[in-house]
Amino acid sequence: MKIRKIDHVGIIVNDLPAAKAFFLDFGLEVLGEGKVEGEWVKKMERVIGLQDIKEDVAKLRTSDSDANIEIVMLRTPDGETNIELVKFNAPSNEIGIQHPLANTLGIQHIAFNVEDIEALVNKLTKKGAELISDIYRYENAYKLCYVRGPEGIILELAEEIK
């Protein structure tokens, strides 16, 4: 038995089109899109801790407008890593977007190894991403930078120094 790789990271969002556009501008590719409801969601209730999600026929659909969960699966250009954006239409999150402190327990950011960090930061900030830190050198190994996209999503950008 062995672990082969991380398959995907799931991110819950409120504005799915904005989050999707951000990651497409970043350079990810759409692997698939769909809507989930019914028995599949009922099976997920125990895992995600949500109750009273509408039950219907179990399938991942692409045309039904009343789905309770919408997803967009994105991947890096090399096909090695996927990001799953998830929007819950019902039940809705009443707390809203959180901006936790850096020492808050849990997942804080997603790190990407990139080429030409300066050009990428320029592109993302022109599209509305918030620059959290300047680009700085970590020893003589990396140039690093943090940006915040829609929904408070934080990306760490790391370019290897060669």
Side-chain angles (χ1 to χ4, degrees):
M1 181 177 102
K2 70 177 185 175
I3 297 172
R4 294 188 295 187
K5 67 176 189 168
I6 292 176
D7 181 72
H8 72 275
V9 174
I11 303 173
I12 309 304
V13 299
N14 225 5
D15 188 343
L16 187 59
K20 175 184 171 186
F22 172 74
F23 281 106
L24 290 176
D25 287 338
F26 179 63
L28 299 187
E29 305 165 347
V30 174
L31 187 58
E33 300 183 58
K35 299 179 181 188
V36 181
E37 61 185 352
E39 287 300 315
W40 179 245
V41 174
K42 187 174 180 179
K43 291 176 184 177
M44 292 174 50
E45 282 182 342
R46 281 186 297 162
V47 175
I48 60 178
L50 297 176
Q51 302 299 320
D52 301 322
I53 297 176
K54 183 174 110 178
E55 294 182 30
D56 203 0
V57 179
K59 38 174 125 164
L60 177 64
R61 301 201 271 215
T62 57
S63 62
D64 196 358
S65 64
D66 66 347
N68 290 302
I69 301 173
E70 298 175 62
I71 63 166
V72 175
M73 188 65 83
L74 304 155
R75 71 173 173 203
T76 55
D78 65 6
E80 290 294 317
T81 306
N82 300 318
I83 302 259
E84 179 184 41
L85 301 176
V86 181
K87 161 120 176 91
F88 287 91
N89 293 311
S92 63
N93 177 344
E94 298 182 12
I95 297 173
I97 298 169
Q98 305 295 304
H99 294 283
L101 300 173
N103 65 345
T104 300
L105 300 178
I107 297 172
Q108 188 228 23
H109 67 276
I110 303 169
F112 288 90
N113 186 299
V114 301
E115 292 179 5
D116 197 355
I117 194 170
E118 289 86 357
L120 185 55
V121 166
N122 187 42
K123 177 182 176 181
L124 291 174
T125 55
K126 281 184 179 178
K127 296 277 189 169
E130 174 191 353
L131 189 61
I132 298 175
S133 74
D134 291 329
I135 298 169
Y136 63 93
R137 286 180 175 260
Y138 175 73
E139 299 179 350
N140 278 328
Y142 289 96
K143 290 189 223 176
L144 300 174
C145 181
Y146 292 84
V147 296
R148 185 187 319 270
E151 310 286 325
I153 299 166
I154 298 174
L155 301 183
E156 176 184 0
L157 309 179
E159 179 181 347
E160 291 180 65
I161 298 173
K162 297 177 181 176

